[in-house]
């Protein structure tokens, strides 16, 4: 089982899949708009609401990772 988390300027993605050497069998594919890049050019730092959105998304993704026994930290 493989997992990937992608933190972008607009969204945070989670992909969980099995790979048999040829094909991926996607088990979970989530996308959450977190707007981490919102006002970054004006503020010169991440917006507090966006940082909270990413943190909340991590909490949600943590629960998803637990379902597949992929969480190795608490």
């Amino acid at each position: 089982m493989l997992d990937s988390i992608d933190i972008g300027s607009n969204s945070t993605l989670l992909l969980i899949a099995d790979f048999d050497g040829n094909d991926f069998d996607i088990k979970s594919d989530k996308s959450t708009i977190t707007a981490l890049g919102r006002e970054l050019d004006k503020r010169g730092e991440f917006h507090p609401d966006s940082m909270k959105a990413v943190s909340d998304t991590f909490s949600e993704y943590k629960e998803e990772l637990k379902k597949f026994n992929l969480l190795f930290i608490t």
Side-chain angles (χ1 to χ4, degrees):
M1 185 95 44
L2 307 166
D3 66 272
S4 172
I5 296 176
D6 175 16
I7 306 165
S9 60
N10 191 50
S11 61
T12 302
L13 312 172
L14 172 68
L15 178 67
I16 299 172
D18 276 329
F19 182 65
D20 68 7
N22 294 313
D23 295 312
F24 287 96
D25 178 16
I26 296 174
K27 302 296 184 182
S28 182
D29 186 5
K30 296 189 175 289
S31 175
T32 305
I33 295 175
T34 50
L36 192 58
R38 176 177 41 168
E39 298 180 3
L40 184 59
D41 56 337
K42 293 179 195 174
R43 297 171 56 88
E45 61 187 22
F46 295 123
H47 194 283
D49 293 342
S50 298
M51 290 191 300
K52 178 159 181 5
V54 172
S55 178
D56 291 347
T57 298
F58 281 167
S59 294
E60 177 187 329
Y61 290 179
K62 177 181 175 181
E63 295 307 311
E64 190 71 6
L65 290 166
K66 282 182 182 178
K67 292 178 189 176
F68 296 94
N69 295 316
L70 291 171
L71 188 66
F72 301 107
I73 59 171
T74 58

